[in-house]
């Protein structure tokens, strides 16, 4: 029998904090530029495929921050451009920088298993990172690097129009939500991202789960929460 959908708590950063955050990133300007109301005529609206290609080319040639000096290549993102799930991590590591694809190292193997556990093939989701370039030595992204790069991700989210976003790890979660709250506080509730208010669930980074396998149970709870949202609120 169909049961009532779960009613997860929905949280959003305070309006003031979020406004400041988006303002600082120039994302408001981008969102209002791309809002349908601002489009004068369909004849001038780029087709989604063209937008993807334009965005891909912009990212490939990006020199907005110093990471362009040390990268092997940019790591744009991979997967189904119409995916219902978007998985967002932190930044490419050494292997990703070498291969030009996110989550292809050991953490990526675990991410693939986590996705399989909720019935998803890697190819059926879209996977991207907060940063498109590897920070040297895998250090944390700098605020200026995030500010330069996040607008690309916002454009990717607008093109994919996912049903749910899974933010993996503290850095992804904090930067997507414009908060310094610890990951433990961000898990277990449904947040909203961007103008479309896309539901966003936070979970542990697979690299952390490799070091702390005891936390996998909680990650499983997070995946089930995300799946319930992707499936339109279907209960377990
Ligand atoms: N960790 C991330 O956050 N992203 C990757 O692409 C690889 C490792």
């Amino acid at each position: 029998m169909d049961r009532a959908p779960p009613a997860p708590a929905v949280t959003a950063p305070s309006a003031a904090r979020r406004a400041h955050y988006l303002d600082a990133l120039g994302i408001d300007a981008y969102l209002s530029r791309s809002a349908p109301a601002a489009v004068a005529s369909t004849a001038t609206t780029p087709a989604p495929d063209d937008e993807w290609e334009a965005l891909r080319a912009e990212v490939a040639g990006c020199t907005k921050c110093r990471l362009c000096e040390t990268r092997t290549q940019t790591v744009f993102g991979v997967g189904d451009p119409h995916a219902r799930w978007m998985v967002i991590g932190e930044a490419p590591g050494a292997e990703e920088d070498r291969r030009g694809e996110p989550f292809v190292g050991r953490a990526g193997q675990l991410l693939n298993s986590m996705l399989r556990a909720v019935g998803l093939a890697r190819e059926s989701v879209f996977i991207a990172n907060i940063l498109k370039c590897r920070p040297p030595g895998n250090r944390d992204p700098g605020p200026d690097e995030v500010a330069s790069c996040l607008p690309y991700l916002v454009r990717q989210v607008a093109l994919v129009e996912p049903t749910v976003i899974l933010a993996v790890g503290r850095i992804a979660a904090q930067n997507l939500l414009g908060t310094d709250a610890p990951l433990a506080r961000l898990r277990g509730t449904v947040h909203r991202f961007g103008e479309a208010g896309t539901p966003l669930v936070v979970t542990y980074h697979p690299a952390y789960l490799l070091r702390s396998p005891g936390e996998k149970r909680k990650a499983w709870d997070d995946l089930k929460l995300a799946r319930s949202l992707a499936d339109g609120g279907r209960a377990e």
Side-chain angles (χ1 to χ4, degrees):
M1 189 179 69
D2 278 346
R3 292 165 57 196
V10 175
T11 63
S14 75
R17 170 168 210 138
R18 183 135 188 91
H20 171 76
Y21 172 69
L22 292 177
D23 200 34
L25 299 181
I27 286 175
D28 270 350
Y30 168 74
L31 289 174
S32 52
R33 251 209 331 275
S34 62
V39 174
S41 138
T42 50
T44 58
T45 307
D49 280 0
D50 295 344
E51 286 195 36
W52 270 116
E53 284 324 302
L55 181 54
R56 207 179 271 283
E58 252 184 81
V59 168
C62 182
T63 54
K64 284 195 208 160
C65 80
R66 61 189 170 278
L67 296 183
C68 68
E69 293 161 18
T70 47
R71 72 184 179 218
T72 303
Q73 59 191 313
T74 57
V75 179
F76 181 74
V78 72
D80 181 350
H82 307 293
R84 294 171 72 187
W85 286 59
M86 207 159 160
V87 178
I88 301 179
E90 176 178 335
E95 187 71 3
E96 289 78 18
D97 173 71
R98 200 173 61 76
R99 290 175 48 186
E101 184 172 331
F103 282 103
V104 287
R106 274 189 73 222
Q109 299 300 317
L110 180 54
L111 177 65
N112 294 347
S113 307
M114 290 163 70
L115 292 171
R116 265 200 307 277
V118 281
L120 295 167
R122 176 178 168 93
E123 302 71 38
S124 71
V125 307
F126 194 90
I127 306 175
N129 284 309
I130 297 287
L131 294 190
K132 308 298 187 218
C133 297
R134 180 188 184 215
N138 298 341
R139 63 160 168 75
D140 285 356
D144 54 325
E145 294 157 359
V146 174
S148 298
C149 218
L150 199 51
Y152 294 135
L153 185 63
V154 170
R155 287 165 65 184
Q156 289 179 306
V157 173
L159 286 168
V160 174
E161 293 187 304
T163 309
V164 66
I165 294 171
L166 184 68
V168 298
R170 176 183 66 84
I171 299 280
Q174 290 181 340
N175 284 297
L176 290 169
L177 297 171
T179 178
D180 312 326
L183 186 130
R185 279 233 324 270
L186 298 173
R187 286 188 51 254
T189 56
V190 182
H191 306 269
R192 298 277 170 189
F193 178 76
E195 258 209 344
T198 308
L200 183 153
V201 171
V202 172
T203 193
Y204 294 110
H205 196 287
Y208 171 78
L209 293 174
L210 287 170
R211 297 191 300 272
S212 309
E215 303 287 39
K216 283 186 184 172
R217 160 63 53 188
K218 291 190 212 156
W220 172 234
D221 291 339
D222 302 332
L223 288 167
K224 284 191 297 182
L225 174 59
R227 183 173 63 182
S228 76
L229 295 160
D231 293 354
R234 183 175 56 80
E236 274 292 290

